[in-house]
Amino acid sequence: AAFHAAPGHFGDVNAGQPHCPPFARHLGWRAKETVCTMRPHYKFWPHRLPHSITLPSTSLWDNLAISARRYPDKAALVFFGRALSYRALADGAERLAARLAQLGVQRGDRVVLCMQNCPQLVLAHFAILRANAVVVPVNPMNRAEELKHYITDPDTKVAITTADLAPELAKASNALAPGERLAHMVVTQFTDAFDADVAGPDAPPDAWREWLCTVHALPVLEGGQAHAWADALACTAEPPALVVGLGDLAVLPYTSGTTGLPKGCMHLHRSIMHNAVASSLWGTGTADNVTLAVVPMFHITGMVSVMHAAIYMGATLLVMPRWDRDLAGRLISRYKVTAWTNIPTMIIDLLASPHFAQYDLSSLVYIGGGGAAMPQAVAQRLLDHYGLRYAEGYGLTETAAPSHTNPPDNPKQQCLGIPFIGTDARVIDPETLQEVPVGEQGEIIIHGPEVFEGYWKRPDATESAFIEFEGKRFFRSGDLGRMDEDGYFFLTDRLKRMINASGFKVWPAEVEALMFRHPAIQEACIIAAKDSYRGETVKAVVVLRPTHQQTTEQEIIDWCRENMAVYKVPRIVQF
């Protein structure tokens, strides 16, 4: 068999053709005429792993239920020193699922989940799945004007959130027409999950105490009712029968585009299950993993590669609600963290801490992430001083996080990696849709079990997002890249106008649409500006209305902070 870069694909081999060995399908060979070829990256494939995996036939809920039966007393979650066992997590999720059913949630209904990282997010996520419903994860940085879309587009009637965010979500719902509003909101306080007087290395940073420990009143939900978390978890009814499986809709995360409002990505239990299982295998995960969960779990990477992978394994998640470099350093040292998925900005910040010498990273056996390129000098420092090979990965909301990742034993720096387990990826000319030669730039396209079904209520957008290539359905990433002679992929540019600010994806059209609501703005164009810390940052080029010529740049920025998530806010305004 020849290792070369000729076009080939994975998973659709015909083992019956001449000269193709009987194990061809398992190994990823392709029979073409009478010659077997194999994609070049298989030379660097982890020897212990197959090229594709057999999925469990159960639902995502079953991953938690099984781990709770296997490891009932093991810590599933640790939050500021308080541990929640797998038994308690599963029991709480079943009680909340029963309460959701009482509130009218039925099979296939969409339920908004809007939280920073906390144990309640994990419990609520699995409760929604246990209720046979669909999780709609929402970025907690969104403001009322943005939140309206996450209520109306998925036809949501029930939301689960934290008390600090509940007023903004209620404001969004109350501003809608009566038939579009939320009917119920379940609200938790952060202190439902930890002791407010905790001290020592487990304590939250002083700057967070007011935010985390303040107990907020339930919001007024016009035409609906707000429920306290403790009351919801006190439900004694039986949860509904579990009837969903791999072929049912599980998660509806939203991703913005270059035009219009954010679009819901339809992920079945199957696609999330695939990347949860595959991620645990790729990182040689076991039930003894201790994972630092600081990347947001409302985001596809934190949700799948961190939360779902850990629950599938029966691992322990150390939960951080936000990034703080010294809290991260203390937790890694104290709990002997073994695996940490992050964004490079976090590593840069941790290494720059004046207290870094006090922290012990020796327990880490896997460190990697994505969202932005890891600077070569920083990656080299991790390797030279700590023996850690930073494994970058690549994926989109549409691909349930990783579609590409670096083999832990053979990573290349500043590289997306190789196509993930079960995945076929190519580089094509975006105009001719023909595969380009090795080393040439083109659009990255992806085929695999992790690819979503399509966009919610948007058949037009779904149709334009896919092409048929060599008889298979490939997703068009919109990202430009190249593949080297070893089969590793590199990002070179973006077909879309996306801005990547510290791993947060900012879509200019969405920010522009919000800015046009400012009374002083006649025209606005959002572009990327280079930033030494965030990689890219948001810049607004603005034309003021003749009647508002006294408006200042700072006034525009302040207004944006009031009306959109902070990562979307222009840091620079140019008139």
Side-chain angles (χ1 to χ4, degrees):
F3 288 104
H4 59 77
H9 64 253
F10 174 75
D12 282 349
V13 296
N14 182 346
Q17 287 203 17
H19 306 293
C20 225
F23 49 83
R25 183 175 299 275
H26 174 71
L27 292 179
W29 299 88
R30 183 182 71 153
K32 185 173 183 181
E33 297 172 349
T34 59
V35 178
C36 273
T37 62
M38 196 161 75
R39 301 293 289 172
H41 63 269
Y42 289 131
K43 287 187 292 185
F44 307 96
W45 196 262
H47 293 301
R48 67 191 183 279
L49 293 181
H51 294 165
S52 64
I53 57 175
T54 302
L55 287 186
S57 58
T58 45
S59 74
L60 291 169
W61 161 259
D62 289 293
N63 292 344
L64 173 57
I66 290 167
S67 289
R69 290 199 296 274
R70 285 177 170 166
Y71 316 107
D73 301 317
K74 186 176 186 294
L77 309 169
V78 178
F79 190 61
F80 296 125
R82 184 190 289 184
L84 186 69
S85 71
Y86 266 98
R87 178 193 286 119
L89 177 59
D91 288 350
E94 289 210 301
R95 291 195 299 274
L96 182 55
R99 184 60 178 142
L100 291 174
Q102 289 180 339
L103 298 180
V105 174
Q106 299 180 4
R107 180 178 185 174
D109 285 353
R110 280 74 55 203
V111 178
V112 159
L113 180 55
C114 184
M115 290 186 188
Q116 301 274 24
N117 284 1
C118 58
Q120 298 95 312
L121 182 152
V122 181
L123 191 152
H125 184 101
F126 279 90
I128 295 166
L129 297 173
R130 178 62 184 85
N132 302 301
V134 179
V135 181
V136 181
V138 174
N139 189 330
M141 294 188 219
N142 281 316
R143 308 308 296 258
E145 194 62 39
E146 299 161 305
L147 288 168
K148 291 178 185 177
H149 181 65
Y150 299 100
I151 299 172
T152 58
D153 191 66
D155 305 308
T156 309
K157 296 303 177 189
V158 177
I160 307 175
T161 189
T162 45
D164 59 321
L165 303 173
E168 201 72 17
L169 193 55
K171 180 181 176 182
S173 178
N174 296 343
L176 297 170
E180 297 178 322
R181 293 172 180 162
L182 292 170
H184 298 281
M185 185 189 296
V186 178
V187 181
T188 182
Q189 314 285 341
F190 282 108
T191 48
D192 290 332
F194 83 104
D195 300 317
D197 58 353
V198 62
D202 283 315
D206 291 339
W208 291 3
R209 280 201 176 268
E210 182 178 356
W211 162 55
L212 290 168
C213 298
T214 300
V215 175
H216 301 265
L218 294 179
V220 174
L221 194 63
E222 294 180 12
Q225 186 177 0
H227 310 267
W229 178 262
D231 294 339
L233 261 65
C235 181
T236 58
E238 287 293 318
L242 183 69
V243 293
V244 294
L246 288 181
D248 287 279
L249 189 62
V251 182
L252 191 66
Y254 275 73
T255 184
S256 299
T258 53
T259 59
L261 293 165
K263 302 183 290 294
C265 296
M266 296 186 290
H267 275 289
L268 307 184
H269 285 255
R270 178 182 295 110
S271 55
I272 303 296
M273 178 73 82
H274 179 274
N275 272 11
V277 175
S279 294
S280 67
L281 293 171
W282 195 260
T284 321
T286 72
D288 294 305
N289 271 36
V290 179
T291 300
L292 187 64
V294 63
V295 291
M297 290 186 283
F298 65 79
H299 186 274
I300 197 71
T301 299
M303 181 199 310
V304 180
S305 297
V306 178
M307 178 179 71
H308 272 287
I311 296 298
Y312 170 77
M313 290 185 282
T316 296
L317 282 170
L318 288 174
V319 181
M320 287 180 61
R322 292 179 180 171
W323 171 248
D324 180 274
R325 64 188 182 184
D326 292 308
L327 177 60
R330 293 200 305 271
L331 292 177
I332 293 170
S333 305
R334 176 172 170 77
Y335 290 94
K336 305 301 180 187
V337 168
T338 62
W340 182 19
T341 296
N342 51 59
I343 58 171
T345 300
M346 294 176 179
I347 302 294
I348 296 167
D349 198 34
L350 178 61
L351 293 176
S353 168
H355 309 295
F356 182 73
Q358 303 172 19
Y359 306 136
D360 180 8
L361 305 187
S362 62
S363 59
L364 282 168
V365 294
Y366 174 82
I367 186 168
M374 168 61 83
Q376 193 274 335
V378 178
Q380 195 63 44
R381 183 180 173 191
L382 283 175
L383 180 61
D384 293 343
H385 292 277
Y386 311 104
L388 293 171
R389 294 181 179 273
Y390 191 88
E392 293 189 52
Y394 165 82
L396 305 98
T397 306
E398 290 89 342
T399 64
S403 63
H404 296 67
T405 192
N406 274 275
D409 298 331
N410 289 289
K412 292 190 179 185
Q413 293 179 356
Q414 296 190 304
C415 171
L416 304 182
I418 62 177
F420 200 39
I421 295 175
T423 303
D424 182 10
R426 310 297 183 85
V427 181
I428 64 167
D429 184 308
E431 295 183 359
T432 66
L433 306 184
Q434 298 299 306
E435 193 164 8
V436 301
V438 169
E440 288 193 13
Q441 177 178 282
E443 183 180 3
I444 299 170
I445 59 172
I446 302 154
H447 169 85
E450 74 273 41
V451 175
F452 76 137
E453 296 299 297
Y455 295 111
W456 176 259
K457 294 182 180 178
R458 293 291 306 274
D460 54 334
T462 300
E463 183 178 359
S464 63
F466 287 91
I467 61 168
E468 184 171 315
F469 183 83
E470 294 190 354
K472 296 188 296 185
R473 187 172 183 250
F474 277 77
F475 170 65
R476 300 187 65 172
S477 71
D479 284 331
L480 298 178
R482 61 178 176 85
M483 186 186 80
D484 70 12
E485 64 279 0
D486 294 328
Y488 284 70
F489 283 66
F490 295 79
L491 191 68
T492 56
D493 207 337
R494 296 187 181 91
L495 199 59
K496 305 168 184 173
R497 282 203 303 145
M498 184 186 74
I499 300 168
N500 190 340
S502 291
F504 283 105
K505 309 302 188 290
V506 181
W507 301 94
E510 183 184 358
V511 180
E512 289 163 1
L514 289 166
M515 290 189 69
F516 275 113
R517 296 177 181 173
H518 191 292
I521 292 178
Q522 177 175 307
E523 292 182 84
C525 179
I526 295 297
I527 59 175
K530 290 192 179 299
D531 186 282
S532 59
Y533 182 69
R534 303 172 84 207
E536 292 180 335
T537 196
V538 182
K539 177 178 179 178
V541 183
V542 173
V543 176
L544 293 175
R545 295 183 184 278
T547 53
H548 291 74
Q549 291 296 311
Q550 302 307 310
T551 303
T552 67
E553 292 91 339
Q554 190 60 47
E555 285 172 346
I556 297 289
I557 294 171
D558 292 343
W559 182 91
C560 288
R561 285 188 174 275
E562 291 293 320
N563 288 275
M564 62 186 75
V566 66
Y567 68 92
K568 301 176 188 175
V569 172
R571 301 290 182 94
I572 307 166
V573 172
Q574 177 183 329
F575 290 140

